[in-house]
Amino acid sequence: MFAPAPHAFALSESLLSLWPLTTPLLHAGVSPVAVYNIVFLLAGPLTALSTYLLAHRLTQSRGAAIVAALAFGFSPYRLAQLPHLQMEWACGIPLLFLALHAYLEMPKARTLAAVAVCWLFTGLSNGYFLVFVPVLIATWMVWFVRERRHFLAISTTLVAATLPLV
């Protein structure tokens, strides 16, 4: 890729969030092509499942959650991005908002830890998400966060979770 340019790997997505899934498979002797195919085939269903969990928490309706899961997990935009695995691996975004809502319901350190892990996972999946998702988070915070201490806790957590990405 981009040979013979030096440091060409910096011009691509690292997909480091997939390491816990892919590395054991590779060490077990599964071929790299099979590992890629496994990750590729899991991307849509895992994104749909995480969207289902978020939508069900927000609406308490299975029907609405199924529609949301199908709409986000298999939308035409995502299908148009099939050649780009990093765009398909978006399950961290709904999980991040699920963790944010959980924090507002139960403001504890472990829910903030879940927010940090989901944000780090999202950032390690796709560099574009580091640009798009903060806009979504800011909008979410304006809409849902009512207490200053929650705003500060969430903001501090997200900044701290961004440091490993830097």
PDB file of all heavy atoms in Angstrom, residues 95-118:
ATOM      1  N   LEU A  95     -23.257   1.040  21.554  1.00  0.00           N
ATOM      2  CA  LEU A  95     -22.839   0.625  22.896  1.00  0.00           C
ATOM      3  C   LEU A  95     -22.365   1.821  23.709  1.00  0.00           C
ATOM      4  O   LEU A  95     -22.602   1.889  24.923  1.00  0.00           O
ATOM      5  CB  LEU A  95     -21.739  -0.434  22.808  1.00  0.00           C
ATOM      6  CG  LEU A  95     -22.160  -1.792  22.255  1.00  0.00           C
ATOM      7  CD1 LEU A  95     -20.959  -2.712  22.136  1.00  0.00           C
ATOM      8  CD2 LEU A  95     -23.251  -2.423  23.106  1.00  0.00           C
ATOM      9  N   LEU A  96     -21.717   2.777  23.071  1.00  0.00           N
ATOM     10  CA  LEU A  96     -21.279   3.995  23.753  1.00  0.00           C
ATOM     11  C   LEU A  96     -22.481   4.759  24.299  1.00  0.00           C
ATOM     12  O   LEU A  96     -22.502   5.169  25.467  1.00  0.00           O
ATOM     13  CB  LEU A  96     -20.477   4.873  22.789  1.00  0.00           C
ATOM     14  CG  LEU A  96     -20.113   6.274  23.266  1.00  0.00           C
ATOM     15  CD1 LEU A  96     -19.186   6.209  24.473  1.00  0.00           C
ATOM     16  CD2 LEU A  96     -19.470   7.062  22.141  1.00  0.00           C
ATOM     17  N   PHE A  97     -23.512   4.918  23.487  1.00  0.00           N
ATOM     18  CA  PHE A  97     -24.696   5.656  23.940  1.00  0.00           C
ATOM     19  C   PHE A  97     -25.512   4.854  24.952  1.00  0.00           C
ATOM     20  O   PHE A  97     -26.136   5.427  25.845  1.00  0.00           O
ATOM     21  CB  PHE A  97     -25.529   6.121  22.746  1.00  0.00           C
ATOM     22  CG  PHE A  97     -24.870   7.260  22.028  1.00  0.00           C
ATOM     23  CD1 PHE A  97     -24.102   7.043  20.910  1.00  0.00           C
ATOM     24  CD2 PHE A  97     -24.979   8.551  22.520  1.00  0.00           C
ATOM     25  CE1 PHE A  97     -23.456   8.084  20.280  1.00  0.00           C
ATOM     26  CE2 PHE A  97     -24.339   9.612  21.896  1.00  0.00           C
ATOM     27  CZ  PHE A  97     -23.568   9.376  20.768  1.00  0.00           C
ATOM     28  N   LEU A  98     -25.469   3.560  24.841  1.00  0.00           N
ATOM     29  CA  LEU A  98     -26.081   2.708  25.862  1.00  0.00           C
ATOM     30  C   LEU A  98     -25.384   2.928  27.206  1.00  0.00           C
ATOM     31  O   LEU A  98     -26.031   3.079  28.246  1.00  0.00           O
ATOM     32  CB  LEU A  98     -25.996   1.244  25.432  1.00  0.00           C
ATOM     33  CG  LEU A  98     -26.694   0.212  26.294  1.00  0.00           C
ATOM     34  CD1 LEU A  98     -28.199   0.431  26.299  1.00  0.00           C
ATOM     35  CD2 LEU A  98     -26.379  -1.184  25.797  1.00  0.00           C
ATOM     36  N   ALA A  99     -24.055   2.986  27.187  1.00  0.00           N
ATOM     37  CA  ALA A  99     -23.288   3.224  28.415  1.00  0.00           C
ATOM     38  C   ALA A  99     -23.532   4.635  28.948  1.00  0.00           C
ATOM     39  O   ALA A  99     -23.621   4.839  30.172  1.00  0.00           O
ATOM     40  CB  ALA A  99     -21.806   2.996  28.154  1.00  0.00           C
ATOM     41  N   LEU A 100     -23.662   5.612  28.066  1.00  0.00           N
ATOM     42  CA  LEU A 100     -23.947   6.977  28.522  1.00  0.00           C
ATOM     43  C   LEU A 100     -25.302   7.058  29.215  1.00  0.00           C
ATOM     44  O   LEU A 100     -25.436   7.690  30.271  1.00  0.00           O
ATOM     45  CB  LEU A 100     -23.882   7.949  27.340  1.00  0.00           C
ATOM     46  CG  LEU A 100     -22.485   8.285  26.828  1.00  0.00           C
ATOM     47  CD1 LEU A 100     -22.559   8.992  25.482  1.00  0.00           C
ATOM     48  CD2 LEU A 100     -21.724   9.122  27.837  1.00  0.00           C
ATOM     49  N   HIS A 101     -26.311   6.426  28.636  1.00  0.00           N
ATOM     50  CA  HIS A 101     -27.629   6.403  29.282  1.00  0.00           C
ATOM     51  C   HIS A 101     -27.571   5.651  30.608  1.00  0.00           C
ATOM     52  O   HIS A 101     -28.210   6.054  31.585  1.00  0.00           O
ATOM     53  CB  HIS A 101     -28.675   5.780  28.348  1.00  0.00           C
ATOM     54  CG  HIS A 101     -29.157   6.712  27.298  1.00  0.00           C
ATOM     55  ND1 HIS A 101     -30.012   7.760  27.562  1.00  0.00           N
ATOM     56  CD2 HIS A 101     -28.895   6.773  25.972  1.00  0.00           C
ATOM     57  CE1 HIS A 101     -30.265   8.417  26.453  1.00  0.00           C
ATOM     58  NE2 HIS A 101     -29.591   7.838  25.464  1.00  0.00           N
ATOM     59  N   ALA A 102     -26.803   4.575  30.650  1.00  0.00           N
ATOM     60  CA  ALA A 102     -26.653   3.823  31.899  1.00  0.00           C
ATOM     61  C   ALA A 102     -26.002   4.692  32.964  1.00  0.00           C
ATOM     62  O   ALA A 102     -26.388   4.627  34.140  1.00  0.00           O
ATOM     63  CB  ALA A 102     -25.835   2.557  31.659  1.00  0.00           C
ATOM     64  N   TYR A 103     -25.049   5.514  32.572  1.00  0.00           N
ATOM     65  CA  TYR A 103     -24.406   6.404  33.545  1.00  0.00           C
ATOM     66  C   TYR A 103     -25.404   7.403  34.125  1.00  0.00           C
ATOM     67  O   TYR A 103     -25.386   7.666  35.321  1.00  0.00           O
ATOM     68  CB  TYR A 103     -23.215   7.145  32.934  1.00  0.00           C
ATOM     69  CG  TYR A 103     -22.663   8.168  33.896  1.00  0.00           C
ATOM     70  CD1 TYR A 103     -21.926   7.766  35.003  1.00  0.00           C
ATOM     71  CD2 TYR A 103     -22.921   9.516  33.732  1.00  0.00           C
ATOM     72  CE1 TYR A 103     -21.451   8.686  35.915  1.00  0.00           C
ATOM     73  CE2 TYR A 103     -22.450  10.448  34.640  1.00  0.00           C
ATOM     74  CZ  TYR A 103     -21.720  10.029  35.737  1.00  0.00           C
ATOM     75  OH  TYR A 103     -21.267  10.946  36.645  1.00  0.00           O
ATOM     76  N   LEU A 104     -26.252   7.963  33.278  1.00  0.00           N
ATOM     77  CA  LEU A 104     -27.228   8.925  33.796  1.00  0.00           C
ATOM     78  C   LEU A 104     -28.213   8.258  34.749  1.00  0.00           C
ATOM     79  O   LEU A 104     -28.685   8.887  35.700  1.00  0.00           O
ATOM     80  CB  LEU A 104     -27.969   9.609  32.648  1.00  0.00           C
ATOM     81  CG  LEU A 104     -27.150  10.580  31.807  1.00  0.00           C
ATOM     82  CD1 LEU A 104     -28.025  11.233  30.754  1.00  0.00           C
ATOM     83  CD2 LEU A 104     -26.452  11.623  32.664  1.00  0.00           C
ATOM     84  N   GLU A 105     -28.535   6.990  34.503  1.00  0.00           N
ATOM     85  CA  GLU A 105     -29.444   6.268  35.396  1.00  0.00           C
ATOM     86  C   GLU A 105     -28.741   5.796  36.661  1.00  0.00           C
ATOM     87  O   GLU A 105     -29.359   5.729  37.725  1.00  0.00           O
ATOM     88  CB  GLU A 105     -30.048   5.065  34.670  1.00  0.00           C
ATOM     89  CG  GLU A 105     -31.018   5.457  33.593  1.00  0.00           C
ATOM     90  CD  GLU A 105     -31.551   4.258  32.833  1.00  0.00           C
ATOM     91  OE1 GLU A 105     -31.412   3.114  33.328  1.00  0.00           O
ATOM     92  OE2 GLU A 105     -32.086   4.463  31.739  1.00  0.00           O
ATOM     93  N   MET A 106     -27.460   5.435  36.546  1.00  0.00           N
ATOM     94  CA  MET A 106     -26.703   4.925  37.680  1.00  0.00           C
ATOM     95  C   MET A 106     -25.293   5.528  37.608  1.00  0.00           C
ATOM     96  O   MET A 106     -24.377   4.911  37.052  1.00  0.00           O
ATOM     97  CB  MET A 106     -26.636   3.396  37.629  1.00  0.00           C
ATOM     98  CG  MET A 106     -25.939   2.786  38.808  1.00  0.00           C
ATOM     99  SD  MET A 106     -25.909   0.980  38.781  1.00  0.00           S
ATOM    100  CE  MET A 106     -25.386   0.573  37.130  1.00  0.00           C
ATOM    101  N   PRO A 107     -25.130   6.752  38.134  1.00  0.00           N
ATOM    102  CA  PRO A 107     -23.828   7.432  38.014  1.00  0.00           C
ATOM    103  C   PRO A 107     -22.764   6.817  38.919  1.00  0.00           C
ATOM    104  O   PRO A 107     -22.567   7.248  40.045  1.00  0.00           O
ATOM    105  CB  PRO A 107     -24.144   8.875  38.399  1.00  0.00           C
ATOM    106  CG  PRO A 107     -25.398   8.826  39.174  1.00  0.00           C
ATOM    107  CD  PRO A 107     -26.132   7.594  38.753  1.00  0.00           C
ATOM    108  N   LYS A 108     -22.118   5.802  38.405  1.00  0.00           N
ATOM    109  CA  LYS A 108     -21.055   5.121  39.139  1.00  0.00           C
ATOM    110  C   LYS A 108     -19.809   5.046  38.266  1.00  0.00           C
ATOM    111  O   LYS A 108     -19.875   5.198  37.041  1.00  0.00           O
ATOM    112  CB  LYS A 108     -21.501   3.715  39.532  1.00  0.00           C
ATOM    113  CG  LYS A 108     -22.680   3.726  40.469  1.00  0.00           C
ATOM    114  CD  LYS A 108     -22.861   2.397  41.111  1.00  0.00           C
ATOM    115  CE  LYS A 108     -24.032   2.541  42.080  1.00  0.00           C
ATOM    116  NZ  LYS A 108     -24.038   1.544  43.090  1.00  0.00           N
ATOM    117  N   ALA A 109     -18.705   4.764  38.919  1.00  0.00           N
ATOM    118  CA  ALA A 109     -17.426   4.699  38.209  1.00  0.00           C
ATOM    119  C   ALA A 109     -17.421   3.597  37.163  1.00  0.00           C
ATOM    120  O   ALA A 109     -16.841   3.748  36.084  1.00  0.00           O
ATOM    121  CB  ALA A 109     -16.285   4.499  39.204  1.00  0.00           C
ATOM    122  N   ARG A 110     -18.088   2.482  37.432  1.00  0.00           N
ATOM    123  CA  ARG A 110     -18.043   1.382  36.460  1.00  0.00           C
ATOM    124  C   ARG A 110     -18.820   1.713  35.183  1.00  0.00           C
ATOM    125  O   ARG A 110     -18.465   1.240  34.110  1.00  0.00           O
ATOM    126  CB  ARG A 110     -18.522   0.086  37.088  1.00  0.00           C
ATOM    127  CG  ARG A 110     -19.987  -0.019  37.311  1.00  0.00           C
ATOM    128  CD  ARG A 110     -20.335  -1.439  37.744  1.00  0.00           C
ATOM    129  NE  ARG A 110     -21.764  -1.548  37.812  1.00  0.00           N
ATOM    130  CZ  ARG A 110     -22.430  -1.936  38.872  1.00  0.00           C
ATOM    131  NH1 ARG A 110     -21.796  -2.288  39.951  1.00  0.00           N
ATOM    132  NH2 ARG A 110     -23.732  -2.003  38.839  1.00  0.00           N
ATOM    133  N   THR A 111     -19.878   2.535  35.290  1.00  0.00           N
ATOM    134  CA  THR A 111     -20.570   2.928  34.061  1.00  0.00           C
ATOM    135  C   THR A 111     -19.729   3.923  33.272  1.00  0.00           C
ATOM    136  O   THR A 111     -19.738   3.900  32.044  1.00  0.00           O
ATOM    137  CB  THR A 111     -21.977   3.488  34.355  1.00  0.00           C
ATOM    138  OG1 THR A 111     -21.891   4.511  35.343  1.00  0.00           O
ATOM    139  CG2 THR A 111     -22.911   2.397  34.821  1.00  0.00           C
ATOM    140  N   LEU A 112     -18.970   4.768  33.980  1.00  0.00           N
ATOM    141  CA  LEU A 112     -18.040   5.650  33.274  1.00  0.00           C
ATOM    142  C   LEU A 112     -16.921   4.842  32.628  1.00  0.00           C
ATOM    143  O   LEU A 112     -16.455   5.174  31.543  1.00  0.00           O
ATOM    144  CB  LEU A 112     -17.451   6.688  34.227  1.00  0.00           C
ATOM    145  CG  LEU A 112     -18.333   7.892  34.537  1.00  0.00           C
ATOM    146  CD1 LEU A 112     -17.646   8.792  35.547  1.00  0.00           C
ATOM    147  CD2 LEU A 112     -18.714   8.654  33.289  1.00  0.00           C
ATOM    148  N   ALA A 113     -16.499   3.774  33.278  1.00  0.00           N
ATOM    149  CA  ALA A 113     -15.486   2.895  32.681  1.00  0.00           C
ATOM    150  C   ALA A 113     -16.028   2.262  31.403  1.00  0.00           C
ATOM    151  O   ALA A 113     -15.296   2.135  30.415  1.00  0.00           O
ATOM    152  CB  ALA A 113     -15.058   1.823  33.678  1.00  0.00           C
ATOM    153  N   ALA A 114     -17.299   1.886  31.420  1.00  0.00           N
ATOM    154  CA  ALA A 114     -17.920   1.330  30.207  1.00  0.00           C
ATOM    155  C   ALA A 114     -17.964   2.375  29.104  1.00  0.00           C
ATOM    156  O   ALA A 114     -17.724   2.062  27.927  1.00  0.00           O
ATOM    157  CB  ALA A 114     -19.316   0.813  30.523  1.00  0.00           C
ATOM    158  N   VAL A 115     -18.254   3.624  29.458  1.00  0.00           N
ATOM    159  CA  VAL A 115     -18.238   4.714  28.474  1.00  0.00           C
ATOM    160  C   VAL A 115     -16.840   4.835  27.867  1.00  0.00           C
ATOM    161  O   VAL A 115     -16.691   4.925  26.642  1.00  0.00           O
ATOM    162  CB  VAL A 115     -18.673   6.055  29.124  1.00  0.00           C
ATOM    163  CG1 VAL A 115     -18.385   7.234  28.200  1.00  0.00           C
ATOM    164  CG2 VAL A 115     -20.147   6.020  29.496  1.00  0.00           C
ATOM    165  N   ALA A 116     -15.828   4.817  28.715  1.00  0.00           N
ATOM    166  CA  ALA A 116     -14.448   4.952  28.238  1.00  0.00           C
ATOM    167  C   ALA A 116     -14.057   3.803  27.314  1.00  0.00           C
ATOM    168  O   ALA A 116     -13.460   4.020  26.257  1.00  0.00           O
ATOM    169  CB  ALA A 116     -13.496   5.021  29.436  1.00  0.00           C
ATOM    170  N   VAL A 117     -14.405   2.578  27.702  1.00  0.00           N
ATOM    171  CA  VAL A 117     -14.068   1.413  26.876  1.00  0.00           C
ATOM    172  C   VAL A 117     -14.785   1.486  25.528  1.00  0.00           C
ATOM    173  O   VAL A 117     -14.178   1.229  24.475  1.00  0.00           O
ATOM    174  CB  VAL A 117     -14.406   0.103  27.622  1.00  0.00           C
ATOM    175  CG1 VAL A 117     -14.371  -1.093  26.692  1.00  0.00           C
ATOM    176  CG2 VAL A 117     -13.465  -0.091  28.795  1.00  0.00           C
ATOM    177  N   CYS A 118     -16.053   1.843  25.539  1.00  0.00           N
ATOM    178  CA  CYS A 118     -16.806   1.938  24.276  1.00  0.00           C
ATOM    179  C   CYS A 118     -16.249   3.038  23.381  1.00  0.00           C
ATOM    180  O   CYS A 118     -16.165   2.870  22.162  1.00  0.00           O
ATOM    181  CB  CYS A 118     -18.281   2.174  24.561  1.00  0.00           C
ATOM    182  SG  CYS A 118     -19.113   0.755  25.269  1.00  0.00           S
TER     183      CYS A 118
END
